[in-house]
Amino acid sequence: MPVTAFTQSRPDFCADERGIAAAEFSIIAPLIVGLYLGMVELSFVMGADRQISHSASVAGDMVAQVEDVDAADMGDILAAALQVSQIQDNAQYVIEITSYEMDSSGTITNLGSAIYNSQNKALLNSVDPANFGSELLSETSGVVVANVAYNYSALGYKRNVNGENKSFLSPTVTLRETFMLKPRRSQSVEIGTGEDSVMTCSGSGSTTTCTQVANNNSEDNNN
């Protein structure tokens, strides 16, 4: 029977409004719940991004306040940065602090660096001191660069896409930030043993330690 003929023969069918609210709710509820879960996950990502950015700012600022930083000092600085970051998984966190200076001829020198979780270095932003500009790096003032990254793991709320369960966000979201700070008490800051030296750091909290490794120049000369 055509719909129009049925409704004309049964006018009470169209007038019956019982269950309308339930039907509307069943249509709208999945959208509202999905939006809510997505907003919760996004808020956690934004919070994590703010915390790891603050940790890099704190670490860079502490280095910029001194004339030189040895392995013991850097261990304390990175321990403080980890406390500020409040991250749950230290293995997914990487921070690198590097100091640069420029001489009167415009040659830029790396005055040493320290990196926590060096195996994750590929996550960091690419930094080229040649692009800093004279306002940031000059013969009268060096610069300290604090570079941080963190692989945030999504909360795990899933949705079905073509038969696969996927998170609302990607399984991991890489958060990155770079801070550039001017030395406070000297023209430049020396990290470790100075030119092209590298410290590798590991651990967590008060057990964070840094170890000085051979200068890059020394390694090149030996090779």
Side-chain angles (χ1 to χ4, degrees):
M1 178 183 295
V3 175
T4 54
F6 176 78
T7 55
Q8 289 175 358
S9 63
R10 294 288 304 275
D12 57 318
F13 179 82
C14 295
D16 190 349
E17 297 183 354
R18 290 176 297 176
I20 289 179
E24 291 176 343
F25 180 77
S26 67
I27 295 172
I28 297 174
L31 300 177
I32 294 176
V33 172
L35 180 62
Y36 171 76
L37 296 180
M39 291 179 64
V40 169
E41 197 154 53
L42 183 60
S43 69
F44 276 99
V45 173
M46 294 175 66
D49 182 63
R50 183 170 59 252
Q51 289 302 119
I52 67 123
S53 296
H54 185 42
S55 72
S57 175
V58 167
D61 185 61
M62 293 176 73
V63 172
Q65 293 184 47
V66 296
E67 296 182 9
D68 56 80
V69 182
D70 60 20
D73 294 333
M74 187 59 72
D76 292 339
I77 290 171
L78 293 183
L82 287 170
Q83 290 294 327
V84 170
S85 70
Q86 298 181 4
I87 56 175
Q88 300 299 317
D89 187 2
N90 290 341
Q92 300 301 318
Y93 177 91
V94 54
I95 182 171
E96 182 177 44
I97 301 176
T98 310
S99 179
Y100 298 98
E101 72 173 2
M102 177 187 288
D103 63 21
S104 57
S105 65
T107 301
I108 298 173
T109 301
N110 179 323
L111 293 180
S113 64
I115 184 167
Y116 177 85
N117 282 342
S118 58
Q119 69 274 13
N120 294 331
K121 186 172 182 176
L123 298 177
L124 297 171
N125 285 325
S126 177
V127 176
D128 185 357
N131 298 326
F132 286 174
S134 58
E135 299 85 1
L136 186 61
L137 178 61
S138 67
E139 61 180 287
T140 59
S141 180
V143 64
V144 173
V145 178
N147 206 354
V148 68
Y150 177 59
N151 263 343
Y152 172 85
S153 297
L155 292 177
Y157 299 123
K158 306 294 183 180
R159 70 188 191 283
N160 189 282
V161 179
N162 297 326
E164 294 184 43
N165 287 326
K166 295 186 177 182
S167 302
F168 283 95
L169 298 176
S170 300
T172 58
V173 179
T174 302
L175 309 174
R176 301 181 179 90
E177 192 66 75
T178 302
F179 288 88
M180 301 177 185
L181 304 100
K182 305 293 287 184
R184 306 283 187 82
R185 299 185 179 181
S186 59
Q187 181 173 315
S188 57
V189 178
E190 184 177 276
I191 297 177
T193 56
E195 185 174 345
D196 290 323
S197 68
V198 178
M199 292 183 196
T200 57
C201 308
S202 59
S204 62
S206 60
T207 63
T208 302
T209 58
C210 295
T211 303
Q212 181 73 54
V213 298
N215 288 20
N216 291 334
N217 282 342
S218 298
E219 292 177 351
D220 293 340
N221 291 335
N222 292 334
N223 292 333

